[in-house]
Amino acid sequence: MRVDFNPADMSPNKFYKLLTATVVPRPIAWVSTIDPYSGCANLAPHSFFSIASVTPPVVQFSSVGRKDTLRNIEATGEFVVNFTPEELFEQINDTATDFPHGVSEFEAAAIEVEPSLRVKPPRVAASPVAFECELHSTLRIGDGTVVFGRVVHAVVSDDVLVDGHPEISKLRPLSRLGKNEWGTVSGVRDLARIRHEDWQGPAADR
């Protein structure tokens, strides 16, 4: 038996709660930007985040509503996506606070910065991975704006590398789930994609 949910019969907030409880886990883009007028550094987590393209390398995240992150990116054309590791859980949550415009989340949450190489917004010093991005384009959909950023530089801490490749057990990424829930990596399964010439029928029959 299934329960039907019609978004036309529900408030946006109720359907939002259904979406975010079922589209899980969602990786988090911890986006740093610069206010072009005050020079204030902004930092905010966005959990509608993914890869849009490999060649060229483009990442994407959605801003629901017009927040400082979106306004700063539109004005400057630059941003940094910082990785969200488990050990920075509380600091990441701190930067989701709705501080007044003009308040730097870096300063309010006592988060150490480090300069970026190719863009003006700073990186989170304690984050093991950062993608420095130039704005590729934006796409307005309903109450959200999808931001596409071309990755012009990436840095990875050698503490999370094994044989030159990021290792999930060392990265320990956080993800967003439903309600106030956050996800951590508690178990990883390794299964290679099957080539057609190696196909032996459905998994249920093997």
Side-chain angles (χ1 to χ4, degrees):
M1 181 177 178
R2 293 176 180 264
V3 178
D4 296 315
F5 294 88
N6 185 345
D9 297 332
M10 301 171 64
S11 70
N13 186 55
K14 284 188 176 181
F15 204 74
Y16 163 82
K17 291 181 178 180
L18 176 66
L19 284 173
T20 55
T22 52
V23 183
V24 291
R26 298 186 308 281
I28 303 166
W30 204 10
V31 182
S32 52
T33 59
I34 290 286
D35 185 310
Y37 308 106
S38 67
C40 179
N42 181 266
L43 181 64
H46 296 265
S47 68
F48 296 174
F49 169 54
S50 190
I51 300 167
S53 170
V54 175
T55 308
V58 174
V59 294
Q60 68 179 71
F61 74 92
S62 292
S63 173
V64 179
R66 292 194 56 78
K67 301 173 182 176
D68 286 344
T69 297
L70 177 59
R71 287 190 289 265
N72 291 347
I73 291 173
E74 288 177 335
T76 67
E78 297 181 335
F79 62 98
V80 177
V81 174
N82 301 276
F83 185 87
T84 53
E86 184 178 339
E87 60 265 27
L88 298 182
F89 172 52
E90 293 182 336
Q91 291 95 322
I92 296 162
N93 189 58
D94 281 350
T95 63
T97 302
D98 56 342
F99 293 110
H101 178 72
V103 173
S104 170
E105 288 81 4
F106 280 101
E107 295 180 5
I111 294 173
E112 184 179 355
V113 304
E114 69 178 21
S116 295
L117 183 68
R118 296 282 303 276
V119 298
K120 289 183 179 179
R123 304 191 296 236
V124 174
S127 178
V129 182
F131 297 125
E132 299 179 15
C133 301
E134 294 178 350
L135 179 62
H136 176 279
S137 58
T138 60
L139 176 63
R140 182 72 182 269
I141 303 176
D143 64 352
T145 301
V146 186
V147 178
F148 298 93
R150 179 165 182 161
V151 180
V152 295
H153 186 69
V155 290
V156 182
S157 171
D158 57 8
D159 292 338
V160 301
L161 295 175
V162 175
D163 296 329
H165 191 273
E167 174 64 37
I168 191 68
S169 63
K170 295 179 177 294
L171 285 168
R172 299 196 61 80
L174 279 173
S175 61
R176 286 292 278 123
L177 308 175
K179 298 181 287 187
N180 292 321
E181 302 160 338
W182 299 66
T184 59
V185 175
S186 58
V188 177
R189 299 177 65 179
D190 195 316
L191 184 64
R193 185 179 300 181
I194 301 171
R195 299 180 303 173
H196 182 256
E197 55 264 37
D198 298 328
W199 179 255
Q200 297 180 0
D205 296 338
R206 295 199 298 268

